[in-house]
Amino acid sequence: MVDGKSQSLFKDKPIKVLLAKPGIDGHDRGMFVLAKAFRDAGMDVLYAGLLPTPEEVIDTAVNEDVDVIALSLLNGAHLVVFRKVADLMKKKGIDDIAIVGGGTIPDSDKPKLEKIGITGNYGPGTPLKTIIDHITERAAEARSRKLGIA
Amino acid sequence: MNDVSSFWSEKLKKLDERDKTGDPAYASWKREVLGKWRKDSQEKEYTNSSSMPIKEIYLPGDLEGDLAGRLGLPGVFPFTRGIYPDMYRGRYWTMRMFSGFGTPEDTNSRLKYLIQHGESGLSIAFDMPTLYGYDCINERAEGEVGKCGVNVSMLKDMEVLFNGIDLGKVSTSMTINAPAIVLLAMYMAVAKKQGVPLDSISGTVQADILKEYIAQKEWIFPPEVHLRMIRDMMVFCTQNAPRWNYISISGYHIREAGASAVQELAFTLADGFHYVEMGKAAGLSVDEFAPRLSFFFNSSINFFEEIAKMRAARRIWATVLREKYGASTERAIMLKFHTQTSGYTLTWQQPLNNIVRTTIEAMAGVLGGTQSLHTNSYDEAWALPSENAVKVALRTQQILAEESGIADTIDPLGGSYYVEWLTDEMERQAYLYFDRIEKAGGILNAIKTGYIQKEIANTSYRRQLRIETGKEIMVGVNRYVEENEPPIKILRISRKAQISQRKRLTEVLASRDQERVRHSLEKLEGAMKDENENLMPYMIDAVESYATLEEISNVGRKLYGGWKEPVIV
């Protein structure tokens, strides 16, 4: 699932992902499933705990030097809340951390999220492999920028 | 401690003995008859959500011991067959559709619509800010007001929510946990304004905080603070609002968080036992308060497993309440429960299939002997349900009740070798968990250390892997998949709710008697510091002064802080 180029990117340090639910939302079953699946796929996984603010999510991501922030919401507030995270990242000039999303996101909202750099946006029932491949792809972009080889 | 522990292990010893037997005819049938049959039968692992291996067939020998004794008759200990002598011949289960979205005005009209279409009990969902004790004007509430339920930030909202609905005539279930005491205070304040005395209001607040730490994760304070508030509601309602059910002990969310049926059963009942111990410690008599405890179970897609779970729940509760907690009246030991069909089993893909899933799950709830039922709408994997989808879901219940004949006789599956074996096995495995939980220092400790949450997360991940590998089938998701499905029409909550809620709150904040608010909050703070004070009257006073939900919650936040969950991943 990781191609040759990615393999060398992550040889010394595996993909590091921060899972976060940045809104007022306690639906965390999917997060825990993903945490285990990412770990089984060899990634380094952090969970931001419940109810972090967008500021806290970004602070953790920067301090922990993650490649990807994976946001999840199942309360219908993804457009507002995911955007807050993306805007804050932009404001802080951070471009070497990718953001992906997931949860109950209607198809019609996906282009809006992609426009602000939040990709994936998978719903329940998505195969784990699809998500892992997507994270790997986004992590490769982020890591390349970090290493200045993009 | 030893005594307590031995209660569970003694029980287990007896159950192990009972369930060890099998039918002598099984082995020879399997060898002589089945073994000579076609060899190309399905390559499939037969198991249920609780990972119990399922045999090809169950026989009389699978049900050793005193079957009649552990079944009882309807309305007779241990209530395996149902808690009422007449069950659905007396009256059908209450068709209680959960609703709530947008502004109190929006939900008020939905409630009136449901009353008009024959619904017999109200059930209110609240939005996320309300569930976490934040007002609609808090920055954190941005984008969330009215999204997952109705927003209630202060008494004024509650007044609008029940405008034109006589609180003396309806029974209202409010799905509210962490701030339950505040919302109950608001409900009581509205009743007072309508001139309805407290002893004639009836309904339920969920107020099951233990399952919040286990599954739904909606808390404000550390567990002990919430437990004290629940104790105060128990005591106050027992004395003043005897028709109010102050805890609905919920397995629903535990199951939705990924637990198996047996985990749902065991963890929910273990929570229930904790509340019983709390009531006793508060000096209430178990016969007096236990009748006001009710349960809330999930009905998922494995039909027989769910029915067995519900039957086992009744038997366990009656037995333990009588034998361990010394309850003596029938009302105190009968387990009453509400059922909701599973949200987890609904799919985004081919959403009309969800009507079928919900029907199967609703049937299991009825055959399991539920007292009330919420059927999910087919579009709920996407968003809050649209009005048409809600109507189909309600009609599903009416068809089951009035056309299908499944409610004509009581516990029609009683005596089925398979269902009785499953019921026994559910019971035995639940006792195994009770014993483990006791050894882990009790349910509160097992939650605070993350033991329960880890058990659930493991089950949840295992199921996901089974789906991924095709060992478990979800039609439309990993089999019979369709490409390019057209999107369905879903309910979207506009930002109007947020704007109008904020406007109303701002107006009330400007016009209320500030001195009175300050005074009522000070008194509340004083009462909070004194463990022996009952908080309920102070809460009613505070909401009546138009102090907001967040202001009231902040009194506790200041004194006790929040809660950080144990790390389980």
Side-chain angles (χ1 to χ4, degrees):
Chain A
M1 109 186 69
V2 178
D3 63 25
K5 185 185 156 216
S6 307
Q7 248 165 20
S8 63
L9 272 175
F10 304 122
K11 200 174 62 182
D12 297 326
K13 187 179 163 234
I15 296 172
K16 197 166 182 182
V17 186
L18 172 65
L19 293 161
K21 298 181 66 66
I24 314 183
D25 178 22
H27 297 89
D28 57 9
R29 167 166 50 85
M31 290 258 97
F32 289 140
V33 166
L34 288 181
K36 283 172 185 280
F38 291 171
R39 203 160 282 160
D40 285 354
M43 298 181 192
D44 202 353
V45 183
L46 294 170
Y47 175 50
L50 277 172
L51 311 190
T53 60
E55 288 80 3
E56 286 164 350
V57 171
I58 292 174
D59 286 351
T60 309
V62 171
N63 293 338
E64 295 285 345
D65 194 23
V66 307
D67 301 296
V68 179
I69 301 174
L71 301 175
S72 152
L73 279 180
L74 290 93
N75 66 353
H78 48 271
L79 282 183
V80 177
V81 179
F82 285 7
R83 183 184 296 275
K84 276 192 194 167
V85 179
D87 287 351
L88 202 60
M89 288 266 284
K90 212 170 157 193
K91 216 175 103 189
K92 295 192 173 208
I94 301 164
D95 66 351
D96 58 357
I97 298 176
I99 311 181
V100 301
T104 44
I105 301 170
D107 282 338
S108 53
D109 288 350
K110 289 179 184 170
K112 294 175 202 162
L113 291 171
E114 275 169 24
K115 225 173 130 187
I116 54 171
I118 301 174
T119 60
N121 304 311
Y122 299 114
T126 308
L128 292 173
K129 186 179 178 314
T130 308
I131 301 173
I132 291 168
D133 286 351
H134 185 74
I135 298 260
T136 307
E137 195 187 312
R138 293 299 313 275
E141 289 167 31
R143 187 65 70 86
S144 302
R145 270 199 293 274
K146 246 185 240 260
L147 302 173
I149 53 175
Chain B
M1 194 67 199
N2 275 340
D3 284 338
V4 175
S5 207
S6 69
F7 179 85
W8 305 121
S9 29
E10 282 303 307
K11 276 269 167 224
L12 264 175
K13 228 184 283 164
K14 278 186 204 147
L15 296 182
D16 276 344
E17 238 155 73
R18 178 190 78 192
D19 297 340
K20 246 192 335 232
T21 50
D23 197 287
Y26 176 71
S28 61
W29 169 80
K30 198 168 174 179
R31 197 176 52 242
E32 302 299 325
V33 184
L34 183 67
K36 290 180 182 153
W37 192 242
R38 307 187 294 172
K39 287 282 187 276
D40 59 347
S41 60
Q42 288 193 66
E43 273 296 318
K44 192 180 152 186
E45 191 189 332
Y46 291 89
T47 178
N48 56 20
S49 84
S50 308
S51 303
M52 296 171 183
I54 307 298
K55 285 199 295 185
E56 301 85 350
I57 190 165
Y58 289 84
L59 298 170
D62 290 305
L63 310 175
E64 281 299 288
D66 178 17
L67 180 63
R70 60 187 189 264
L71 288 183
L73 285 165
V76 178
F77 181 86
F79 306 101
T80 309
R81 306 203 65 179
I83 56 170
Y84 299 125
D86 57 355
M87 285 305 287
Y88 305 133
R89 285 197 168 204
R91 63 182 193 87
Y92 294 123
W93 60 93
T94 304
M95 298 173 193
R96 202 188 274 279
M97 304 294 283
F98 191 37
S99 55
F101 60 95
T103 63
E105 285 85 351
D106 296 332
T107 299
N108 179 261
S109 5
R110 177 69 67 92
L111 293 178
K112 286 176 174 163
Y113 172 90
L114 287 167
I115 291 170
Q116 239 175 37
H117 280 79
E119 164 154 329
S120 32
L122 308 180
S123 180
I124 318 275
F126 295 93
D127 71 354
M128 289 292 169
T130 309
L131 294 170
Y132 283 97
Y134 294 116
D135 290 341
C136 58
I137 49 171
N138 187 305
E139 199 199 335
R140 301 211 60 155
E142 181 72 40
E144 317 228 14
V145 177
K147 281 276 159 74
C148 288
V150 61
N151 177 263
V152 172
S153 301
M154 54 162 175
L155 179 58
K156 197 94 208 159
D157 296 323
M158 198 68 121
E159 291 165 10
V160 175
L161 185 55
F162 291 103
N163 182 29
I165 298 170
D166 183 346
L167 297 194
K169 294 219 173 95
V170 293
S171 110
T172 306
S173 164
M174 292 192 279
T175 301
I176 189 82
N177 291 281
I181 192 168
V182 187
L183 275 286
L184 176 57
M186 290 184 190
Y187 191 85
M188 288 176 166
V190 173
K192 275 166 73 182
K193 284 192 176 217
Q194 289 188 357
V196 176
L198 288 190
D199 61 9
S200 46
I201 58 166
S202 77
T204 308
V205 276
Q206 198 164 73
D208 171 13
I209 203 69
L210 291 174
K211 69 96 176 45
E212 292 299 331
Y213 295 100
I214 294 175
Q216 192 168 237
K217 316 289 172 80
E218 290 163 8
W219 57 75
I220 302 175
F221 316 117
E224 289 79 4
V225 182
H226 283 299
L227 288 169
R228 182 257 174 114
M229 291 175 168
I230 294 168
R231 180 205 68 183
D232 290 352
M233 278 193 284
M234 285 174 91
V235 173
F236 184 87
C237 292
T238 304
Q239 289 158 358
N240 301 287
R243 296 175 61 206
W244 194 267
N245 300 313
Y246 31 74
I247 312 179
S248 166
I249 307 155
S250 307
Y252 189 82
H253 320 79
I254 293 176
R255 189 64 175 280
E256 290 290 299
S260 66
V262 79
Q263 287 174 330
E264 178 194 356
L265 174 68
F267 300 159
T268 309
L269 293 180
D271 287 348
F273 300 146
H274 186 86
Y275 296 125
V276 169
E277 287 168 14
M278 215 169 77
K280 288 183 70 151
L284 299 173
S285 115
V286 63
D287 285 325
E288 199 179 5
F289 75 83
R292 301 255 62 99
L293 300 176
S294 61
F295 285 82
F296 173 19
F297 289 116
N298 198 306
S299 190
S300 195
I301 196 72
N302 191 317
F303 189 66
F304 294 109
E305 186 183 20
E306 296 308 306
I307 296 166
K309 174 189 77 186
M310 296 168 195
R311 298 172 88 245
R314 277 193 294 271
R315 188 195 294 169
I316 297 170
W317 186 251
T319 307
V320 175
L321 266 273
R322 181 188 269 186
E323 295 178 9
K324 187 165 192 280
Y325 297 115
S328 58
T329 65
E330 296 218 319
R331 275 169 43 75
I333 63 175
M334 338 193 275
L335 178 144
K336 296 173 294 181
F337 68 104
H338 172 68
T339 301
Q340 181 171 338
T341 57
S342 161
Y344 189 2
T345 59
L346 303 187
T347 63
W348 286 45
Q349 298 84 351
Q350 306 174 39
L352 289 177
N353 295 344
N354 292 331
I355 298 175
V356 182
R357 295 188 177 100
T358 297
T359 306
I360 294 167
E361 294 166 356
M363 273 181 78
V366 172
L367 294 172
T370 194
Q371 275 58 64
S372 60
L373 180 63
H374 166 100
T375 31
N376 286 332
S377 301
Y378 65 81
D379 52 2
E380 280 187 80
W382 292 75
L384 290 187
S386 57
E387 204 152 275
N388 272 330
V390 173
K391 200 196 283 182
V392 173
L394 177 60
R395 294 287 182 253
T396 303
Q397 295 201 38
Q398 291 161 339
I399 291 167
L400 288 180
E402 299 178 48
E403 290 185 18
S404 77
I406 63 167
D408 287 353
T409 190
I410 301 167
D411 188 31
L413 292 176
S416 147
Y417 302 127
Y418 178 41
V419 171
E420 296 300 355
W421 172 82
L422 257 181
T423 306
D424 290 349
E425 188 58 15
M426 281 281 162
E427 181 189 22
R428 195 182 66 84
Q429 294 202 15
Y431 276 101
L432 269 172
Y433 262 123
F434 299 149
D435 193 42
R436 266 180 244 154
I437 290 167
E438 195 69 54
K439 286 176 179 141
I443 188 73
L444 185 56
N445 203 47
I447 291 169
K448 287 165 82 171
T449 56
Y451 164 73
I452 304 283
Q453 297 91 313
K454 270 183 219 159
E455 287 284 301
I456 296 171
N458 289 340
T459 303
S460 169
Y461 187 47
R462 198 166 52 231
R463 175 168 191 249
Q464 186 63 36
L465 294 181
R466 285 176 56 81
I467 293 171
E468 300 273 317
T469 51
K471 284 186 183 146
E472 199 166 316
I473 302 304
M474 287 182 91
V475 170
V477 175
N478 64 355
R479 195 171 284 178
Y480 316 115
V481 178
E482 282 173 20
E483 299 298 329
N484 303 319
E485 289 184 56
I488 55 169
K489 207 167 176 280
I490 56 167
L491 181 76
R492 285 213 181 238
I493 308 299
S494 73
R495 290 174 64 84
K496 276 192 210 141
Q498 179 164 315
I499 296 164
S500 74
Q501 278 302 91
R502 288 183 167 182
K503 183 166 171 278
R504 176 158 51 223
L505 182 59
T506 313
E507 280 165 11
V508 172
L509 286 179
S511 63
R512 64 184 186 177
D513 178 349
Q514 309 300 349
E515 198 42 43
R516 185 169 172 214
V517 173
R518 199 182 52 80
H519 190 59
S520 74
L521 291 176
E522 267 173 23
K523 281 194 296 180
L524 176 64
E525 185 174 343
M528 273 202 177
K529 287 179 188 156
D530 181 359
E531 262 294 304
N532 297 319
E533 225 19 271
N534 190 306
L535 293 175
M536 202 69 226
Y538 297 91
M539 289 285 177
I540 296 175
D541 182 52
V543 303
E544 282 178 336
S545 78
Y546 291 96
T548 68
L549 172 61
E550 185 168 335
E551 288 170 332
I552 293 171
S553 306
N554 283 346
V555 175
R557 286 191 180 105
K558 199 177 83 185
L559 290 175
Y560 306 107
W563 171 253
K564 199 128 189 78
E565 64 179 328
V567 177
I568 66 158
V569 290

